[in-house]
């Protein structure tokens, strides 16, 4: 010990007791008992529940894949706030049904040829485990866009087709047309997503024998064909003479009904009246094209939750199980138009459908997976009050601006003069501003969230490739062995 340290120690010991007492630390200040704080208690309960969660490593009888088309984390956050606010609750602390699921991850969505994917590769990567080029579905990246040469050689089976080969049933439900990219991810194999009816095929494609997607759905081999398909696109299944767009004169709805006990539904009332205990294969075509927004109060058009409920009832009759894809397509459709109000309402529509599935299934035997095929350029920025409307404004006067805006889209084609008002931004049909003007907003390329519950859901963690989600579903349905890849 050094002389200096000894000197200091001796000096301290030489101090009178009163002096030493004066140098003692003050008592700790009184603090609030956080165990009585509502927020603190809620998060304590949440972490206790998380700690008690035991992973289900077993096999799944059923898999339900939910796709929020274009639903990046920005849409989830803003959609959550809107969903809470329309219910008269605090939007920021509201919880969407799928946000309460125990396992989460982020998914990288790039395609084989683009940093930012479209919905075709976006869904194909998830349902086949293989990335392809933008615009292609159910094939690997060897295909060339707008050509059917090599499509058969590049064909990759979908998880829905593999489920069918295992003896299960399979279905797809969407608020888009049933021949749009995401539902096609269950049954279609094409280099070009826009070949939805024969009217979309260029002469050279017709000459080459290319098959449109509506025909692929109806004419698929019985061993692979979907048992339930619901959405829009009635016109793609009917000839011109019957109010459709088909040039080949074929009535694909009649061909569908040739199956035993098969039904073709065109309205909500028909869906409600359907006897799910006796019905055979069901094709629901509830609009000529995409289904309208529920905010526009369409007549005789079922909601996503209603279609989901019927689909589960129909498919669950199979004792071996089923695969079901459910898509809230209009999140993407309205983001393309910079209509954040309608887009975020459809996030809530997805959450309602998830609630139906959670209530109708057993977490011990059903894997439920919720994710997006890609994101959009929506941003939530500004310093509005906690109770301010998500579709409102931040700031005042000439400096007031919408909380919600976009990177690209029609909102940038006609710049706004002066400050915005809440009356403008909160009105249904308002076009949110965009930085760069385009007739249709571009997709976003950032990672998207994934939520899961059920067998093998514990494998949904960290940051993964979108093709990894196929592996989770395949492992849940078929085990660690590679499932059938050919009929």
């Amino acid at each position: 010990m050094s002389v200096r340290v000894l000197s200091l120690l001796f000096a301290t010991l030489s101090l009178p007791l009163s002096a030493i007492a004066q140098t003692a630390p003050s008592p700790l200040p009184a603090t609030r008992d956080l165990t009585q704080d509502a927020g603190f208690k809620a998060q304590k309960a949440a972490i206790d529940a998380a700690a008690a969660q035991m992973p289900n490593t077993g096999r799944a009888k059923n898999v339900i894949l939910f796709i929020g088309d274009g639903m990046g984390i920005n849409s989830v956050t803003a959609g959550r706030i809107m969903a809470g606010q329309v219910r008269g609750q605090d939007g920021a602390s509201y919880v969407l049904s799928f946000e309460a699921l125990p396992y989460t991850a982020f998914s990288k969505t790039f395609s084989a040829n683009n940093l930012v994917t479209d919905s075709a590769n976006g869904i194909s990567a998830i349902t086949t485990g293989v990335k392809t080029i933008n615009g292609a579905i159910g094939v690997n990246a060897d295909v060339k866009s707008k050509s059917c040469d090599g499509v058969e050689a590049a064909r990759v089976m979908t998880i829905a087709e593999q489920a069918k080969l295992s003896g299960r049933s399979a279905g797809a439900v969407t608020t888009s047309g049933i021949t749009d990219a995401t539902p096609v991810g269950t049954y279609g194999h094409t280099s070009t997503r826009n070949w939805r009816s024969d009217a979309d095929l260029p002469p050279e494609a017709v000459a080459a024998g290319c098959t449109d997607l509506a025909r692929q759905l109806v004419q698929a081999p019985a061993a692979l064909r979907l048992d339930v398909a619901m959405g829009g696109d009635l016109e793609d299944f009917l000839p011109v003479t019957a109010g459709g767009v088909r040039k080949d004169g074929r009535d694909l709805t009649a061909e569908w009904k040739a199956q035993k006990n098969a039904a073709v539904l065109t309205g909500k009332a028909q869906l409600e009246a359907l006897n799910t205990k006796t019905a055979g294969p069901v094709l629901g075509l509830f609009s000529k094209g995409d289904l309208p927004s529920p905010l526009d109060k369409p007549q005789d058009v079922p909601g996503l939750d209603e279609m989901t409920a019927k689909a589960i009832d129909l498919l669950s009759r199979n004792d071996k199980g089923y695969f079901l894809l459910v898509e809230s397509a209009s999140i993407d459709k309205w983001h393309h138009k910079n209509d954040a109000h309608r887009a975020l309402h459809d996030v809530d529509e997805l959450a309602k459908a998830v609630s139906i599935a959670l209530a109708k299934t057993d977490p011990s035997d059903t894997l439920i997976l919720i994710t997006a095929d890609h994101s959009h350029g929506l941003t939530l920025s500004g310093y509005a009050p906690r109770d301010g409307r998500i579709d409102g404004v931040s700031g005042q006067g000439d400096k007031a601006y919408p909380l919600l805006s976009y990177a690209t889209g029609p909102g940038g084609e006609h710049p706004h003069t002066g400050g915005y008002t809440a009356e403008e931004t909160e009105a249904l049909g308002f076009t949110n501003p965009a930085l760069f003007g385009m007739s249709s907003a571009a997709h976003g390329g950032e990672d998207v969230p994934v939520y899961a519950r059920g067998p093998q859901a514990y494998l949904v963690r960290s940051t993964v490739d979108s093709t990894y989600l196929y592996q989770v579903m395949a492992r849940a349905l078929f085990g660690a062995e590679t499932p059938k890849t050919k009929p």
Side-chain angles (χ1 to χ4, degrees):
M1 187 176 295
S2 68
V3 174
R4 184 173 183 274
V5 171
L6 286 173
S7 300
L8 289 172
L9 177 62
F10 180 79
T12 301
L13 293 176
S14 301
L15 289 172
L17 290 178
S18 59
I20 296 175
Q22 290 176 3
T23 64
S26 302
L28 292 174
T31 59
R32 181 177 178 179
D33 180 8
L34 288 179
T35 60
Q36 302 307 308
D37 181 89
F40 188 91
K41 289 169 66 176
Q43 298 314 310
K44 176 63 168 62
I47 200 167
D48 288 344
Q53 183 74 37
M54 297 296 293
N56 181 344
T57 60
R59 293 272 291 274
K61 178 181 178 181
N62 317 304
V63 169
I64 305 178
L65 170 64
F66 285 91
I67 298 292
D69 199 310
M71 188 183 72
I73 195 65
N74 41 16
S75 295
V76 174
T77 302
R80 169 203 310 145
I81 295 171
M82 179 173 282
Q85 290 180 342
V86 298
R87 289 168 173 79
Q89 301 178 29
D90 172 42
S93 61
Y94 185 75
V95 179
L96 297 164
S97 60
F98 52 83
E99 292 184 292
L101 300 191
Y103 299 102
T104 63
F106 281 100
S107 169
K108 296 184 283 187
T109 63
F110 63 92
S111 73
N113 67 335
N114 207 300
L115 286 174
V116 181
T117 190
D118 77 324
S119 292
N121 165 74
I123 188 60
S124 193
I126 297 170
T127 57
T128 69
V130 178
K131 287 188 186 284
T132 186
I133 62 174
N134 279 12
I137 307 171
V139 291
N140 65 24
D142 293 338
V143 297
K144 294 182 179 179
S145 181
K146 299 181 182 179
S147 172
C148 55
D149 290 340
V151 167
E152 282 304 308
R155 184 185 181 105
V156 184
M157 289 196 73
T158 73
I159 189 79
E161 292 172 326
Q162 291 169 333
K164 288 285 292 185
L165 287 181
S166 72
R168 294 173 169 86
S169 297
V173 168
T174 181
T175 55
S176 71
I178 197 65
T179 63
D180 204 357
T182 300
V184 168
T186 59
Y187 68 84
H189 303 273
T190 183
S191 68
T192 310
R193 59 177 286 185
N194 292 328
W195 289 351
R196 297 166 70 162
S197 80
D198 70 318
D200 301 317
L201 297 175
E204 57 272 22
V206 174
C210 300
T211 305
D212 64 82
L213 293 167
R215 275 185 60 194
Q216 288 192 34
L217 170 60
V218 173
Q219 295 182 339
L224 302 178
R225 190 182 306 129
L226 294 183
D227 301 283
V228 177
M230 298 185 194
D233 278 355
L234 175 60
E235 65 181 13
D236 288 335
F237 292 80
L238 297 176
V240 173
T241 55
V245 297
R246 299 198 66 84
K247 296 180 179 180
D248 57 9
R250 304 177 75 149
D251 182 347
L252 296 182
T253 64
E255 295 183 29
W256 180 274
K257 285 189 286 188
Q259 301 176 82
K260 184 179 179 180
N261 295 329
V264 174
L265 313 175
T266 57
K268 177 178 179 178
Q270 291 178 326
L271 180 66
E272 291 174 341
L274 182 71
N275 186 335
T276 56
K277 295 181 179 180
T278 60
V282 173
L283 177 62
L285 300 170
F286 303 111
S287 176
K288 283 190 173 183
D290 297 331
L291 272 57
S293 169
L295 290 175
D296 297 317
K297 299 179 173 56
Q299 298 297 311
D300 204 27
V301 177
L304 185 63
D305 55 344
E306 295 166 318
M307 292 189 289
T308 300
K310 285 288 187 178
I312 292 174
D313 289 345
L314 288 163
L315 297 172
S316 61
R317 295 180 308 177
N318 188 336
D319 292 337
K320 293 184 178 180
Y322 60 85
F323 171 86
L324 173 63
L325 180 144
V326 179
E327 181 200 22
S328 181
S330 299
I331 301 170
D332 172 75
K333 306 296 183 187
W334 296 114
H335 275 326
H336 276 299
K337 297 179 180 180
N338 289 167
D339 188 334
H341 194 105
R342 285 187 174 91
L344 298 181
H345 182 83
D346 279 293
V347 173
D348 195 16
E349 292 298 301
L350 177 69
K352 291 176 184 176
V354 172
S355 294
I356 291 290
L358 294 173
K360 280 184 167 288
T361 59
D362 185 340
S364 69
D365 69 6
T366 302
L367 170 65
I368 294 180
L369 198 68
I370 301 97
T371 189
D373 47 356
H374 58 78
S375 184
H376 257 280
L378 176 72
T379 63
L380 165 60
S381 60
Y383 304 101
R386 174 68 174 265
D387 59 355
R389 283 181 53 157
I390 187 66
D391 55 356
V393 297
S394 181
Q396 296 179 342
D398 290 340
K399 300 295 185 181
Y401 58 92
L403 272 69
L404 299 171
S405 60
Y406 290 86
T408 62
E413 292 188 311
H414 305 287
H416 188 275
T417 302
Y420 287 83
T421 66
E423 288 75 19
E424 285 180 277
T425 64
E426 294 172 9
L428 186 61
F430 172 70
T431 299
N432 293 77
L435 176 63
F436 188 83
M438 296 172 61
S439 60
S440 178
H443 292 170
E446 71 271 18
D447 301 347
V448 298
V450 190
Y451 310 86
R453 183 193 85 170
Q456 304 298 322
Y458 75 98
L459 297 174
V460 174
R461 57 191 179 187
S462 70
T463 298
V464 301
D465 192 274
S466 56
T467 55
Y468 176 90
L469 303 180
Y470 164 83
Q471 298 293 342
V472 174
M473 295 186 292
R475 182 175 288 260
L477 284 177
F478 313 120
E481 299 298 320
T482 301
K484 291 184 179 181
T485 57
K486 292 184 178 180

